[in-house]
Amino acid sequence: MPLRDCHHWIFDMDGTLTVPVHDFNDIRRQIDIPADTPILETIARMEPEAAEQASRRLHQIEMDLAAQARPQPDALEVLEYLTARGGTLGILTRNDEEIAEATLRASGLDHLFPADHVVGRMTCAPKPSPDGVRHLLDLWRVLPAKTVMVGDFLYDIEAGKRAGVRTVHFDSNGIFPWPEFSDHHVTSLRQILSLVG
C-alpha cells in the first residue's frame, strides 16, 4: 500500500535518523543492570534511591552520546522532501526530550522538528507503548491511517502498529526480523522517497 496519501510522519531518532552510537550493553554495565534487560523498565523497578542514581547516570551517558550524533545518510534530504510536500514531522524516542533536542541539534536536524513534536519518555510511556504515537495523533488531529511510524527497532514499529498507524521498518542489513509489525521495509532512508511516489 503506497504512502503517498500520508502527510504525517513520526520517526525514531537513534539508529533511524542518526547513525547508531549506543552500545546498550556498555550502558547497562555502567549503570549496573543485568545484560539483555530493557534499561528504562529495569530502572523503573528499582528502589527509589537506586532508581534516581541510575537515572542520573543514564542521563549523563545519553548527553555524552547526543554530542556525538551524526545524521543517517539521506536523512536531511528525505525529511526536507517530506516537509516540502506538505508533511508534518515528529520524533518519538525513548530518550528524554532534552537529550532528543541535543541529538537533533548535533546532527543538524533540529530545524525540522518543532519542540512539541519531539516526544520522549518525560511526556509519555516509552515505546513499545503506543502512547507517544497517540499523543502526536491527538496533537495533529489526524487519523492513524494518514500517519506513518519509521524506526529501526522492534519497539518503534510495535508502538506504531499498536496505535494503528502505518509502519516502515528501516534495517540497513536487510534482515527485517519483525515482519508482523511492519507494513514496509527499507534498507536506506532514501527508499522512503519511492514509497511516497
Side-chain angles (χ1 to χ4, degrees), residues 14-40:
D14 300 316
T16 300
L17 291 181
T18 62
V19 175
V21 295
H22 291 68
D23 181 339
F24 290 106
N25 284 326
D26 184 58
I27 293 171
R28 291 182 184 96
R29 182 189 57 74
Q30 290 189 59
I31 58 178
D32 197 26
I33 66 172
D36 300 320
T37 59
I39 294 170
L40 299 180

Side-chain angles (χ1 to χ4, degrees), residues 59 63 66 95-103 105 118 122:
H59 183 82
M63 283 299 288
N95 290 310
D96 70 29
E97 285 76 1
E98 180 185 4
I99 303 231
E101 289 164 7
T103 300
R105 278 195 306 274
V118 179
M122 306 307 288

Side-chain angles (χ1 to χ4, degrees), residues 96-118:
D96 70 29
E97 285 76 1
E98 180 185 4
I99 303 231
E101 289 164 7
T103 300
L104 290 170
R105 278 195 306 274
S107 57
L109 303 175
D110 53 314
H111 64 289
L112 293 160
F113 297 94
D116 61 341
H117 293 192
V118 179

